[in-house]
Amino acid sequence: MTNRLADTLSPYLRAHADNPVEWYPWGPEAFAEAQRRDVPLLISIGYSTCHWCHVMARESFADPHTAALINRDFVAIKVDREEHPDVDGAYMAAASAFTQNLGWPLTVFTTPRGRTFYAGTYWPPEARQPLPAFRDVLAAVNEAWTLRRVQAEESADAVTDALARAGAAVPSDLPDAAALAGAAEAIAAREDRQFGGFGGAPKFPVATTLGLLQTPMVRREAPDAAAAADRALAAMSASDLRDADGGFFRYATQRDWTVPHYERMLTDNAQLLLVALDAGDESTARGTADFLVGTLRREGGGFGAAQDSESWIDGQRSEGGYYLRPVTERAGLEPPAVDGKVITGWNGLAIGALARAGSRLGEPTWVAEAEDAAAYVLRVNRDTAGALVRASLDGVASQAVATAADVALLADGLFSLAAATGDPRWAVEGRDLLDVVLSGIQGDPLLAEHGIAAAPDQTDGDLPSDAAAVAAASLTAWRLGAGDRYREAAAARVREHAGSAIGQPFAHGSLLRVAAGLVDAPRQVVVVTEAPQGALASAARRADADVVAIVTPEQAGAFADAGFELFEGKGSAGEQAFDCRSFVCRLPVSDPAELPLAR
């Protein structure tokens, strides 16, 4: 049999199209059917490169007997968390009321209105202490719904209401340098001094946290904490977490960075490319950029979401077996599949990282790849009304709405692309997108229809939170000269979450990075030249600055005409470099030796 998933956009959902489970994709049809039958929803959330999602699919969802129980007692929904992050976030938050062992696959049981009354993650087909068998869980949930329905509905409403109340933030003042230094030192106190990184096993790259520790303010005010970021990158780069082709795996299951979880995510690698660039680790930066371009790039532009941990070797599915072979032996093997979803915000991260790295390291092909990806996303990832959507696959746009982080991360990437290319059109496009998100973006419409709140916290996961992404893009827009209202937009979002961020700095690295950028006066270097590969431009690219823009006189004028005040009055200059601090520029210089590299 074939269920309703065969024609969906998600590779993860398509992989379940032949399950005997009568899956529905996320949408109103499933809710209507659950209400018609008056049975609970079983919502299963995962993604295509998730190893344990594959395992549970083989053990339970492909099993006719288990599927029969699901089909009899539930309406089953399969959700790709990468396509519907709002849905994943909402149900992950609800699941935290029932289990501390959160992760994927996420298995949630809800009322016909979508309100959670029980949840867990992976359950095996047979009981394995401390885990019960999945079929026993199904039976127990059905019994609870049938015999104790009032209690189940009261529990679901209580969880929903509690999460809605938890979403209310309490604004506070902007953190000052001392508070931010203290937050950085609190993060550094968790450093694993023996193996590098933070905490024990499993151990994640935590690129958002490393980015905070690398800010000029932290390097100045808390140098020991900043050094922890450099040590973490060095340890990861030299470990099994990094494949021979330069790409980083998702995480290590052991404290010493061994035995990786072998999936490779666009989010991790794009952010770690910038971490390596800011650490001055050119070798790691080049390897990571080569992985992005050589493995994750899709035909026509855009970058796929991830590369799988599993592949076929000698007729068997092997988790990690491909990566354990020397590179010279891989040529004869089929590589692990790449999830080809071109996710809007994730591509924004890659666009910004490749643009910055390509400019800094003298690799124009990386900048060109970033331009191709930007053009692809802006053209393809649109709905019929022209609004950005969450993702596309093979040139077909998803129906899933873009999140605030999607739009903001893409806008921020376009700002970096504008600086790297000197083309103001990218900055104008980025500003337009940022204005859309600042005016407010609605979340998943089905969640809103049923009164299900989005995840209440604004902590970083494997990428910046919505609030942090919007704040970061606003800060970049201000630094480019788009106007003081963007600085205030960044500050407003930092104020809204500053109390939580200072109290839990490890989980709010992205937001605190913006806070550090608001404390320090920005350094902006603009070179006006007809020779973008000349000595003066090359010197500027090595400067420690928040903005480095290499433009022709015509481009400087176009930036100024488009409303970016940083470029005002610079279009008529000959070859000159302007070194500015908070938009106040020193006398321009023409000799590369006269342009300071340090702040």
Side-chain angles (χ1 to χ4, degrees):
M1 64 175 291
T2 301
N3 54 46
R4 301 166 186 83
L5 304 185
D7 295 327
T8 59
L9 178 135
S10 164
Y12 174 63
L13 267 59
R14 290 181 185 180
H16 292 77
D18 292 326
N19 288 168
V21 177
E22 295 175 5
W23 293 113
Y24 282 79
W26 177 258
E29 294 82 4
F31 280 70
E33 179 65 7
Q35 291 167 19
R36 185 189 70 79
R37 291 176 52 196
D38 197 29
V39 297
L41 290 163
L42 185 163
I43 302 175
S44 174
I45 304 175
Y47 56 104
S48 67
T49 58
C50 165
H51 172 64
W52 287 102
C53 299
H54 297 325
V55 172
M56 191 167 181
R58 289 192 290 265
E59 291 177 341
S60 294
F61 299 140
D63 176 63
H65 300 292
T66 303
L69 295 175
I70 295 173
N71 296 338
R72 185 191 69 190
D73 297 330
F74 305 91
V75 170
I77 300 178
K78 178 61 74 173
V79 179
D80 183 340
R81 69 173 292 257
E82 295 173 349
E83 189 177 11
H84 293 282
D86 285 354
V87 176
D88 176 58
Y91 284 114
M92 187 65 74
S96 68
F98 302 94
T99 178
Q100 295 181 340
N101 299 317
L102 298 173
W104 301 276
L106 180 63
T107 310
V108 184
F109 299 93
T110 81
T111 70
R113 293 190 299 152
R115 299 187 168 205
T116 304
F117 65 89
Y118 190 61
T121 53
Y122 164 80
W123 279 299
E126 306 295 337
R128 302 173 196 161
Q129 290 299 325
L131 297 176
F134 183 47
R135 278 179 283 185
D136 292 341
V137 172
L138 295 173
V141 171
N142 177 56
E143 178 181 298
W145 180 255
T146 303
L147 302 180
R148 297 183 296 279
R149 177 166 176 169
V150 171
Q151 295 94 316
E153 290 182 327
E154 289 176 348
S155 174
D157 288 342
V159 170
T160 301
D161 293 344
L163 292 174
R165 291 193 301 272
V170 180
S172 61
D173 293 335
L174 287 175
D176 58 16
L180 291 167
E185 289 164 350
I187 291 171
R190 298 176 59 176
E191 183 185 12
D192 182 342
R193 287 284 185 162
Q194 182 176 359
F195 295 112
F198 302 93
K203 187 174 282 186
F204 288 80
V206 291
T208 54
T209 300
L210 300 182
L212 165 65
L213 299 182
Q214 290 182 310
T215 58
M217 196 224 73
V218 172
R219 289 194 183 279
R220 183 182 68 248
E221 302 291 336
D224 290 342
D230 296 336
R231 289 191 290 268
L233 178 67
M236 290 188 292
S237 298
S239 76
D240 292 349
L241 189 74
R242 185 172 179 236
D243 190 39
D245 69 359
F248 284 90
F249 298 112
R250 182 69 189 93
Y251 63 88
T253 62
Q254 304 301 311
R255 178 188 161 200
D256 62 356
W257 298 109
T258 58
V259 194
H261 188 58
Y262 286 100
E263 61 184 321
R264 301 200 285 183
M265 311 298 294
L266 176 61
T267 49
D268 294 327
N269 283 278
Q271 292 177 99
L272 288 171
L273 170 55
L274 289 182
V275 169
L277 190 69
D278 289 343
D281 186 345
E282 182 173 337
S283 176
T284 297
R286 287 186 175 277
T288 309
D290 288 343
F291 166 70
L292 293 177
V293 172
T295 299
L296 294 187
R297 185 187 183 277
R298 302 292 86 197
E299 185 69 27
F303 294 89
Q307 186 176 28
D308 207 336
S309 61
E310 294 189 2
S311 62
W312 290 98
I313 297 179
D314 299 329
Q316 301 290 326
R317 291 294 285 175
S318 172
E319 205 270 334
Y322 177 87
Y323 303 109
L324 292 170
R325 301 285 183 95
V327 173
T328 55
E329 295 182 14
R330 294 182 188 176
L333 297 176
E334 179 183 347
V338 170
D339 182 334
K341 289 196 311 297
V342 176
I343 298 175
T344 297
W346 298 15
N347 271 256
L349 287 171
I351 290 163
L354 286 170
R356 278 190 53 197
S359 177
R360 180 71 174 264
L361 300 180
E363 291 289 349
T365 57
W366 297 350
V367 179
E369 297 284 5
E371 285 195 284
D372 286 347
Y376 184 91
V377 172
L378 291 171
R379 182 179 72 255
V380 176
N381 288 24
R382 302 275 192 181
D383 64 16
T384 54
L388 282 174
V389 297
R390 168 67 175 173
S392 64
L393 180 69
D394 298 333
V396 179
S398 168
Q399 296 181 5
V401 298
T403 67
D406 280 323
V407 182
L409 291 172
L410 179 58
D412 213 2
L414 295 177
F415 291 142
S416 294
L417 187 58
T421 60
D423 189 342
R425 293 176 300 173
W426 298 120
V428 171
E429 187 76 55
R431 184 182 59 194
D432 290 346
L433 293 176
L434 181 55
D435 286 345
V436 169
V437 77
L438 289 176
S439 66
I441 287 184
Q442 300 301 315
D444 183 89
L446 196 56
L447 291 177
E449 178 184 342
H450 291 276
I452 302 169
D457 70 282
Q458 285 291 330
T459 58
D460 293 334
D462 48 3
L463 75 169
S465 68
D466 280 7
V470 175
S474 300
L475 179 64
T476 305
W478 172 65
R479 286 169 169 172
L480 268 178
D484 286 344
R485 72 183 183 94
Y486 293 99
R487 185 189 188 282
E488 181 50 40
R493 280 152 183 81
V494 172
R495 290 190 193 99
E496 187 176 3
H497 302 285
S500 298
I502 291 297
Q504 296 179 303
F506 197 86
H508 293 83
S510 297
L511 191 84
L512 294 176
R513 182 181 175 90
V514 176
L518 292 168
V519 168
D520 273 358
R523 183 188 183 194
Q524 303 132 313
V525 175
V526 177
V527 175
V528 181
T529 180
E530 296 285 2
Q533 304 305 320
L536 187 61
S538 296
R541 290 188 178 99
R542 298 193 301 273
D544 180 11
D546 300 296
V547 174
V548 176
I550 315 298
V551 294
T552 65
E554 292 76 18
Q555 289 172 331
F559 267 106
D561 291 343
F564 292 90
E565 63 184 61
L566 176 62
F567 299 87
E568 289 181 358
K570 298 177 176 66
S572 60
E575 182 169 84
Q576 291 184 320
F578 297 83
D579 189 0
C580 314
R581 314 297 167 107
S582 287
F583 303 95
V584 177
C585 302
R586 300 175 180 178
L587 290 175
V589 298
S590 299
D591 183 352
E594 295 180 10
L595 181 65
L597 297 184
R599 289 179 182 256

